[in-house]
Structures are given as structure tokens and as C-alpha cells.
Amino acid sequence: MSARERLIDALYGAGWGTVKKLPEPVAVRLGRTIADLAWRQRGKGVLRLEANYARVVPDASPARLAELSRAGMRSYLRYWMESFRLPAWSAERVRSGFAPDDLHHLTDGLAAGRGVVLALPHLANWDLAGAWVTTALGIPFTTVAERLKPETLYDRFVAYREGLGMEVLPHSGGSAFGTLARRLRDGGLVCLVADRDLSASGVEVDFFGEKARMPAGPALLAQQTGALLLPATLWYDDSPVMRGRVHPPVPVPPSGTRGEKASAMTQALADAFAAGIAEHPEDWHMLQRLWLKDLDPARDPGNTVEYDEDAARAAEKDRKGTS
């Protein structure tokens, strides 16, 4: 393990070991302080987040983009502060921490004996939503996790999510799809974060007017097993309670090849994700490249969002006046 990997592992370990012991108001203030510091430093993640928001809100002024990216970093650090503290939350705190709308799409599907694939984008806190499902509904589910480096960090994330009641499979290795399919055929629940393709072999979709690539797995699983495919979106409001919505099922097209059906279903997922992200862009934690033009700069070498110093100062001044 390299020195950098040891440092990363130690930082996450400190987060789970220390932040979960803090009183909640202290953790909230700490998260906001770290978020604002990171936002002012204008690192690669913040710049990428702002560039992504420029796709979501194409008519936003530079000042609005700066304001959005600051709110986005605060939302992102809220996710981390909650995640570090989740293992110490009581069952009642978990149950009261999330309020989803249209939950009947999920519960009716499971009650009918059909498996359900719940697909989410990187909005708000998907780990809290998962903990709520296992705690408030008493429904176990299976998910996958990206293999991280160092391996000890991956092990930490697996242990963390298993401690919240999830069955966690590694994203790589080739056996996850078969296990997920078996869980669905048994009438179980599979939850997948599905707005960013990790395999470079996903489905091209139209996303906020440009091409992006999203994983075909959720659609293929629904096709192969007869499970319902349900998009879900999450967001924060001004309260300690996260909000969410389970969208209506994505139907399997009546005709077409397996690939054509998967493409149409993945596009329907992308459309549902886009609707949720457009309503709450600051809660979309996408600090990586997503659109194909960004992944392959040769497609559009001028596709960058520059930092506007005056706009950032204006957003900072406005924020201080309203905080």
C-alpha cells in the first residue's frame, strides 16, 4: 500500500471513528465548514461539479453556478457527515430521517412476489435511504460496490453498508449479475446507483441535451428476471429529514432486441433521473466526468467551465447575507 493510500484509509477510518461520536449539531457545522473550505480552494472536484451543473442549468449565470457549486459541496459533505454517523444512529433516528413519496410502487411490487430493481442517481444520501428500507420497512436488499483502492478502504465501505443491513457484492469480478438475478427471481429487492457507467460499456443516453453513458445492468436484470424497474430520486430540504420519490415502473418494450430494449429502458431511467436532478441540482453529487464530450475531450476540446472570480465573490457575499 502506498503512502497516499494509507493516508486515504486513515482519513476515512478517522471519519467513521470520530465523527459518529460528535453531537449532531457539531457534525453539521463541521461538514459545512469543510464544504466551504473545499469550495473556496476550487480544486478539480469543485470545478467538475460546477461544469456538470452548467449542463443541468444551462441558462445559469456564473454567479448562479458558483452559488450552486457551494450548495452542492455543502450537500455532499452532509452526505459524508450523515454516513459517518449512520452506524451510531438509533433505529428511531433512521426511521425519522427519511420521508419518501409514492412508496407504494416499491411495496406493491414486492407484495406481488415480483423482484424489484430500485435504481438511483447520486442524489442526497442513498445510504440513508437504504438504511431506512432495512430499518423502517424491514426489507433486506442487495447492492454492489465499486472496488476502491486501497483494498482496506473497500473493506471499510463493505463493512459499513453490511452494518446497515445491506448485502454488498463487488462491482468487478463478473459474478454480481448472476447473484442479483437470483435475488430478484426469489422476489427480492436490488438497489443500484445507476447514473454513472463504471464499465465503459454502458448504454448511451440523452442526458440534459447531450450524450452520456449509463449502466445497462438495471434494465437487463429487469428483462431477464421479470422484476419491476423503479427509478428513485432523493433530495434534501431545510429540515434534518431527507425526502425522496419512487417513480412509476419503467416498462419493458414489447418488441425489439435485448439490446434495443435495454437502451430504451435505460433512457427512461435517465429521463427520471434528469427530472429529479433538475428539481434539486445542488443535491447531485457528481464530482466526476460524466458526459461523453468530457470523457473524450477530442469530441469538444473547448468544453470547459472557467472559474469566474467576481461571480464567486458575489455568491459568497450573498450567502453571508442570508446564512
Side-chain angles (χ1 to χ4, degrees), residues 93-110:
R93 179 67 181 88
V94 173
R95 284 192 290 266
S96 65
F98 180 42
D101 297 329
D102 299 326
L103 189 64
H104 64 92
H105 292 304
L106 171 61
T107 54
D108 289 352
L110 293 172

Side-chain angles (χ1 to χ4, degrees), residues 166-197:
M166 311 175 193
E167 179 187 21
V168 183
L169 307 175
H171 181 270
S172 59
S175 62
F177 189 92
T179 302
L180 295 174
R182 287 193 295 274
R183 300 292 183 269
L184 292 168
R185 291 193 184 98
D186 290 339
L189 173 62
V190 166
C191 297
L192 301 171
V193 180
D195 58 343
R196 178 169 171 254
D197 180 51

Side-chain angles (χ1 to χ4, degrees), residues 2-302:
S2 69
R4 180 177 181 275
E5 289 175 340
R6 286 195 297 272
L7 176 61
I8 291 172
D9 183 59
L11 289 173
Y12 279 99
W16 272 300
T18 303
V19 174
K20 71 178 180 181
K21 298 177 183 177
L22 297 175
E24 190 157 347
V26 175
V28 170
R29 288 196 298 272
L30 176 62
R32 178 169 288 201
T33 299
I34 295 172
D36 289 350
L37 177 62
W39 180 78
R40 291 189 186 97
Q41 290 179 338
R42 307 300 292 173
K44 289 183 179 179
V46 173
L47 293 176
R48 174 47 47 193
L49 181 67
E50 199 163 290
N52 289 341
Y53 287 158
R55 273 12 188 285
V56 175
V57 191
D59 58 347
S61 66
R64 173 61 176 149
L65 284 176
E67 178 185 347
L68 266 178
S69 66
R70 187 180 189 197
M73 290 304 296
R74 287 185 171 189
S75 176
Y76 186 49
L77 263 295
R78 176 174 172 175
Y79 161 79
W80 279 113
M81 292 297 109
E82 287 179 349
S83 295
F84 287 144
R85 291 176 50 76
L86 263 175
W89 281 13
S90 67
E92 179 55 35
R93 179 67 181 88
V94 173
R95 284 192 290 266
S96 65
F98 180 42
D101 297 329
D102 299 326
L103 189 64
H104 64 92
H105 292 304
L106 171 61
T107 54
D108 289 352
L110 293 172
R114 298 183 65 175
V116 172
V117 180
L118 198 65
L120 307 90
H122 286 82
L123 274 169
N125 192 338
W126 48 97
D127 285 331
L128 172 55
W132 187 89
V133 167
T134 60
T135 303
L137 301 183
I139 298 172
F141 67 87
T142 304
T143 188
V144 298
E146 178 184 1
R147 278 205 174 275
L148 303 171
K149 291 184 179 181
E151 190 74 15
T152 51
L153 180 57
Y154 170 77
D155 292 340
R156 286 186 190 274
F157 271 96
V158 170
Y160 156 65
R161 289 182 171 130
E162 287 179 341
L164 299 177
M166 311 175 193
E167 179 187 21
V168 183
L169 307 175
H171 181 270
S172 59
S175 62
F177 189 92
T179 302
L180 295 174
R182 287 193 295 274
R183 300 292 183 269
L184 292 168
R185 291 193 184 98
D186 290 339
L189 173 62
V190 166
C191 297
L192 301 171
V193 180
D195 58 343
R196 178 169 171 254
D197 180 51
L198 296 175
S199 67
S201 61
V203 174
E204 282 197 14
V205 295
D206 290 317
F207 196 54
F208 291 102
E210 293 189 36
K211 291 292 184 183
R213 189 180 292 115
M214 294 186 181
L220 292 173
L221 283 166
Q223 280 189 65
Q224 185 165 314
T225 66
L228 286 179
L229 176 56
L230 299 177
T233 52
L234 311 170
W235 67 93
Y236 291 126
D237 56 21
D238 294 329
S239 77
V241 179
M242 184 176 72
R243 301 297 307 276
R245 177 178 298 113
V246 181
H247 297 254
V250 172
V252 178
S255 61
T257 66
R258 186 168 179 258
E260 289 169 344
K261 291 179 180 180
S263 181
M265 295 170 74
T266 305
Q267 181 63 62
L269 278 183
D271 292 342
F273 293 167
I277 292 166
E279 290 178 356
H280 305 279
E282 68 278 5
D283 292 323
W284 189 42
H285 307 152
M286 186 56 64
L287 280 74
Q288 300 83 21
R289 297 176 186 272
L290 179 71
W291 280 272
L292 299 187
K293 285 182 179 179
D294 295 335
L295 293 168
D296 180 8
R299 291 176 179 237
D300 186 1

